[in-house]
Amino acid sequence: MSELQPPAVSVIMPVLNEERHLRTSVRHILEQEYAGELEVVIALGPSTDRTDEIAAELVRETASDKRVRVHTVPNPTGRTPAALNAAIKASRHPIVVRVDGHGMLSPNYIATAVRLLDETGAQNVGGIMHAEGENAWEQAVAAAMTSKIGVGNAAFHTGGAAAPAETVYLGVFRREVLEKLGGYNEEFIRAQDWELNFRIREDGGLIWFSPELKVSYRPRPSVKALAKQYKNYGRWRHVVARYHQGSINLRYLAAPTAVVAIAAGVVVGAAVTPWGLVVPAGYLAAITAGSLPAGKGLPLKARAQIPVALATMHMSWGFGFLTSPRSLAKKVIASRREPVRAG
């Protein structure tokens, strides 16, 4: 990659019902401090809000721009991996940047990622999922998502030194690796990033985490939405574990273990002895204590909701993992698909 002629970059975006954040997200791409050519490919799911209308406006507004243009492709299934593959196929450039419709790139994100690909020889580089809330509940969720008591030692949530990683948030890829491995596995409705990065590593490729890369992320706006999100995370992470033997580690077993222990403690406490309630009481005490440093600097209303956010994340993820049916994993197509070539 020449410093004099930065490589052209394709930014791919899977979107569904993103009217709240889509325009701002794309603006953060268009305003990147990057000298090379850019294109933005938005894969449109069957939204029920103004997402398609906003995307069409963005296409018109950039039609005459010689450096960066926005265009769209349909994703009738609404599924994220299908959207990503459709956008990859419709894109043209050697570097592929994944961005979600509610993600906000830092100003030098693309330039830094391209440099890191060159310096490290990695096939995929990524950084920090910097959760930021716009109200008290979202601020509480953001605090929970960026604390070790909330997500363990995942560097892309909590930060850390630049190093090889199992997975990273979103990702900036060399197109050649996406074509070689057939893109995203469309059977993985969730956890498709983790699954793809596992295949990259199995193929001998390097996944590189760097705290220099930061994407602002908007958390789910309600307890119900957060619970659904984390239940799906747990459900599909178990599918990955069954699909790729040896891909599980102790961190992923913490939430399921907590769910089982708390449920057992409640049953024993109600039916046998009050001492059984020590387990759920201890858990509540732990997340309450853990929420204190996590909420430092936040308004009181946000700090008070952090334990709720933590419990929702832990219990939903663990429940999803425990109840993930084997039949779901069996439906995952094991055979390699045809490569996703540029159109």
Side-chain angles (χ1 to χ4, degrees):
M1 300 177 189
S2 171
E3 292 183 0
L4 298 178
Q5 294 182 328
V9 171
S10 297
V11 181
I12 58 173
M13 300 184 70
V15 300
L16 179 69
N17 294 325
E18 289 286 3
E19 70 171 359
R20 182 181 174 191
H21 299 301
L22 178 58
R23 176 169 286 279
T24 305
S25 181
V26 172
R27 177 172 58 80
H28 279 75
I29 299 169
L30 302 181
E31 295 177 355
Q32 283 290 296
E33 298 171 0
Y34 186 65
E37 182 181 351
L38 294 173
E39 66 171 350
V40 182
V41 184
I42 303 175
L44 296 171
S47 296
T48 56
D49 61 9
R50 294 184 59 252
T51 296
D52 288 13
E53 181 182 336
I54 294 169
E57 292 171 356
L58 291 166
V59 171
R60 290 193 298 270
E61 291 165 9
T62 61
S64 60
D65 194 318
K66 295 182 179 180
R67 189 185 75 87
V68 56
R69 297 181 65 180
V70 176
H71 57 105
T72 63
V73 292
N75 173 36
T77 69
R79 294 182 174 184
T80 299
L84 291 166
N85 283 344
I88 291 168
K89 187 174 182 180
S91 66
R92 301 174 292 125
H93 299 322
I95 305 298
V96 178
V97 178
R98 176 183 171 175
V99 182
D100 286 343
H102 46 272
M104 315 297 165
L105 299 185
S106 53
N108 61 350
Y109 181 90
I110 292 177
T112 301
V114 171
R115 172 177 60 80
L116 289 171
L117 284 173
D118 194 22
E119 291 176 354
T120 65
Q123 280 63 49
N124 180 20
V125 299
I128 295 175
M129 178 182 181
H130 184 63
E132 294 180 325
E134 297 181 334
N135 54 46
W137 167 249
E138 291 180 0
Q139 289 171 345
V141 176
M145 292 180 69
T146 54
S147 67
K148 289 188 176 181
I149 192 173
V151 294
N153 61 351
F156 69 87
H157 280 297
T158 61
E166 289 185 345
T167 191
V168 290
Y169 180 53
L170 300 179
V172 178
F173 302 85
R174 300 177 189 270
R175 172 180 293 279
E176 60 198 38
V177 73
L178 295 174
E179 293 185 346
K180 178 181 180 181
L181 298 180
Y184 291 86
N185 189 326
E186 295 186 14
E187 295 297 320
F188 282 88
I189 299 174
R190 299 287 186 275
Q192 65 275 156
D193 292 306
W194 208 103
E195 194 277 335
L196 173 59
N197 284 320
F198 183 88
R199 284 188 284 129
I200 292 174
R201 290 186 289 110
E202 287 288 284
D203 191 58
L206 174 65
I207 311 297
W208 187 261
F209 165 82
S210 173
E212 293 183 77
L213 298 172
K214 182 185 292 186
V215 182
S216 294
Y217 168 87
R218 300 293 185 259
R220 295 297 192 270
S222 67
V223 173
K224 182 179 179 180
L226 182 68
K228 181 179 179 181
Q229 177 188 21
Y230 271 78
K231 178 186 174 184
N232 282 328
Y233 282 170
R235 181 183 178 93
W236 282 94
R237 186 61 188 82
H238 204 163
V239 174
V240 175
R242 286 169 170 156
Y243 184 66
H244 291 299
Q245 296 295 319
S247 65
I248 200 69
N249 61 44
L250 292 177
R251 180 165 66 90
Y252 295 111
L253 298 178
T257 301
V259 170
V260 172
I262 290 169
V266 170
V267 171
V268 171
V272 181
T273 172
W275 284 105
L277 298 177
V278 169
V279 175
Y283 172 76
L284 290 174
I287 62 173
T288 300
S291 71
L292 297 178
K296 187 177 181 181
L298 292 179
L300 179 61
K301 188 176 180 180
R303 295 202 304 270
Q305 296 182 77
I306 294 175
V308 179
L310 288 169
T312 301
M313 291 162 54
H314 294 162
M315 297 299 102
S316 300
W317 202 102
F319 181 78
F321 189 93
L322 290 169
T323 59
S324 181
R326 288 187 176 274
S327 59
L328 187 60
K330 290 179 180 178
K331 291 180 181 179
V332 174
I333 299 174
S335 59
R336 180 172 292 180
R337 299 161 311 288
E338 288 297 314
V340 182
R341 305 271 182 207

